[in-house]
Amino acid sequence: MKNFYLMVLMTGFCYSALSQEPDSTLLQNSNQNMQSEDAQTIALLTKQVESMTRELKNNTENINMLMASKDLDAQNRYMIVRQNLENATNAYRLLHTKIQVMKNYPSGRSFEPLVKELGNPESDKLGFRFDQKVVSLVEDNVKPKKKNMASKIYDGVTSIAKNPIVSAIPVVSPAAQLTSSVMGFLRSTSIMTDDVDQATIAKMENELNGYIRFYNLLAEANTEFDYNLNIQRQELGLLQRNLYDQVRYFAEKVGLEPEARGDKESVDEYLNKLFLRLDQNYMVNLFSQFEQKNRSGNRVNYDQMLITDEGNDLKDANNRLEEFVGLINQLEFQYSKHNRYTEQYTEKIKAALDEANTTGVTNADTGSKIKTEVDAAQTTTDNEFRNAINLDELSKAKKSIRYTARII
């Protein structure tokens, strides 16, 4: 019996030992699982921290880039204003000078000697002298019976033909004036004597019509050329007045405070005086002082500069440059018009010569030779005008202005 109890007790211990072994394994497995989960959490947190660090770094770099780009944008806008206004100062002066030269240019200088000779009744440029032609025509057609009457008529006609006052009338054709004076003298004479009749006078007038037609065409060409040039001078005067308004506005915006124009002071005189003060040196000093006032250490606060009162004035001056460039374009247009006027003048003189050849006033060879001289006068005029104006200089100055860049 004692042995039976002992066996029961041993069996109980065995079962107890077996039942305790799985509990210890579970605990160990649980600890291992917890350690694995912690490691995963730590790894995940580490990745998140690293990601946030990278994102923070990127954001910092982006912010720095944005700040730098803001400063760079302000600097770029400021430099556009500075360069534009410095270049515009030179362009203003150039435009003023070009207008002055064009307005006062003697455009007919190369044509004048030739045209004056062609229109002179005493010249033989066309192969004859018109004053002698008129006297010969009277002598051939008027035959007074009385010698004393013939002498009076011939002397009277010769006196009119040689009268320097009649030959030098600039407004109308001297040849037409000479013809009118001679025919008027003959009509007056016909009242006093039967030796001169109206039919004879009409016949002579008809023979002179071809000559008068040439001289009238030449006079019309001169009149039209002078008229066109006078109108252009008026247009250039208006252009200069618009430039005056622009320059005064510009000077005020850059702090020059221009004086008022005197009652007897012309626009030319006023601008000449103003440009002695308003030049590139003035502008360079202006911007240097402006930058110095807005400097902190080695850094210039361009963004702040553009919103100050002085900066706003400079932006206003810049933003009106497009109107100024429009004035340059107008001068370029006037330049082209001047060349067109000389071309038209040349063509009208040559048309008068063609008419003279058609009516037999002159021969083809003489007309062709004179046309060559007219073409040479036009070429000389255009070349001298181009050199005097030097429009390329102004066009280059215009290109240096970024006038479409409006700075806000």
Side-chain angles (χ1 to χ4, degrees), residues 289-344:
Q289 294 172 12
F290 187 37
E291 291 167 15
Q292 189 62 37
K293 286 191 299 185
N294 291 273
R295 183 182 296 277
S296 177
N298 294 326
R299 181 177 178 273
V300 177
N301 191 342
Y302 294 104
D303 195 50
Q304 178 64 30
M305 292 170 70
L306 292 174
I307 61 175
T308 62
D309 290 341
E310 188 175 356
N312 286 328
D313 283 342
L314 295 175
K315 288 187 293 183
D316 287 343
N318 175 83
N319 294 342
R320 200 172 174 182
L321 290 178
E322 190 168 5
E323 295 179 32
F324 166 57
V325 171
L327 300 184
I328 297 179
N329 293 338
Q330 288 183 41
L331 185 74
E332 292 173 339
F333 176 69
Q334 292 293 341
Y335 179 90
S336 299
K337 278 177 66 173
H338 183 277
N339 290 337
R340 190 162 65 250
Y341 290 154
T342 58
E343 182 180 357
Q344 291 172 351

Side-chain angles (χ1 to χ4, degrees), residues 122 160 162-170 174 177:
E122 299 178 1
I160 293 172
K162 292 183 177 181
N163 189 329
I165 297 177
V166 175
S167 302
I169 295 177
Q177 183 65 28

Side-chain angles (χ1 to χ4, degrees), residues 16-289:
S16 176
L18 288 173
S19 65
Q20 288 178 1
E21 184 177 358
D23 291 341
S24 176
T25 301
L26 288 173
L27 180 60
Q28 184 178 0
N29 289 340
S30 175
N31 288 336
Q32 290 178 351
N33 289 336
M34 289 179 64
Q35 291 176 357
S36 176
E37 289 177 358
D38 289 343
Q40 290 177 0
T41 300
I42 291 171
L44 179 61
L45 290 173
T46 301
K47 288 182 179 180
Q48 290 178 348
V49 169
E50 290 175 349
S51 176
M52 291 176 66
T53 301
R54 285 195 302 270
E55 185 175 352
L56 178 61
K57 182 180 179 181
N58 290 336
N59 288 340
T60 301
E61 290 177 351
N62 289 336
I63 290 172
N64 290 335
M65 289 177 62
L66 287 172
M67 293 296 294
S69 65
K70 180 182 178 183
D71 290 341
L72 183 62
D73 179 59
Q75 182 179 1
N76 284 338
R77 288 186 293 139
Y78 171 78
M79 292 307 299
I80 289 174
V81 171
R82 174 168 182 163
Q83 292 171 5
N84 271 353
L85 298 189
E86 288 180 358
N87 292 336
T89 304
N90 179 54
Y92 276 123
R93 180 185 56 79
L94 278 177
L95 179 58
H96 167 60
T97 302
K98 305 304 180 188
I99 293 174
Q100 282 184 309
V101 174
M102 190 180 295
K103 191 169 62 172
N104 299 313
Y105 189 77
S107 303
R109 180 173 55 191
S110 297
F111 287 100
E112 187 174 353
L114 174 60
V115 173
K116 189 174 182 179
E117 188 174 9
L118 288 174
N120 184 2
E122 299 178 1
S123 170
D124 59 357
K125 186 72 176 178
L126 292 166
F128 61 88
R129 284 186 52 166
F130 184 71
D131 59 340
Q132 293 178 353
K133 180 73 67 176
V134 173
V135 172
S136 297
L137 190 62
V138 172
E139 290 176 346
D140 292 341
N141 289 273
V142 179
K143 304 292 185 179
K145 297 176 183 178
K146 298 177 182 179
K147 289 186 178 181
N148 62 337
M149 180 56 68
S151 178
K152 289 180 180 180
I153 293 175
Y154 300 152
D155 289 345
V157 171
T158 302
S159 176
I160 293 172
K162 292 183 177 181
N163 189 329
I165 297 177
V166 175
S167 302
I169 295 177
V171 178
V172 297
S173 165
Q177 183 65 28
L178 171 60
T179 301
S180 177
S181 298
V182 169
M183 295 301 117
F185 170 73
L186 292 176
R187 286 193 177 90
S188 298
T189 304
S190 68
I191 297 174
M192 297 181 293
T193 176
D194 295 336
D195 292 324
V196 180
D197 58 78
Q198 295 298 321
T200 302
I201 295 173
K203 176 185 176 184
M204 289 188 293
E205 283 183 323
N206 187 57
E207 290 188 35
L208 292 174
N209 277 342
Y211 297 90
I212 298 305
R213 173 65 177 161
F214 164 76
Y215 289 115
N216 283 343
L217 288 174
L218 186 64
E220 288 174 8
N222 293 334
T223 300
E224 182 179 296
F225 187 50
D226 290 340
Y227 173 81
N228 288 336
L229 294 178
N230 286 331
I231 291 297
Q232 184 170 53
R233 291 187 188 98
Q234 294 176 22
E235 292 172 347
L236 289 169
L238 179 60
L239 176 59
Q240 193 167 46
R241 177 68 199 203
N242 291 336
L243 175 63
Y244 163 82
D245 293 337
Q246 284 273 337
V247 172
R248 275 193 59 88
Y249 180 85
F250 182 87
E252 291 170 358
K253 289 300 181 180
V254 298
L256 191 60
E257 298 182 359
E259 300 174 357
R261 182 162 66 95
D263 293 337
K264 297 182 179 180
E265 189 176 25
S266 68
V267 172
D268 279 358
E269 293 169 339
Y270 180 85
L271 289 178
N272 286 337
K273 186 173 64 176
L274 180 58
F275 282 122
L276 294 176
R277 300 167 57 204
L278 182 62
D279 57 14
Q280 282 196 309
N281 288 333
Y282 173 85
M283 297 303 298
V284 170
N285 292 334
L286 171 72
F287 282 108
S288 295
Q289 294 172 12

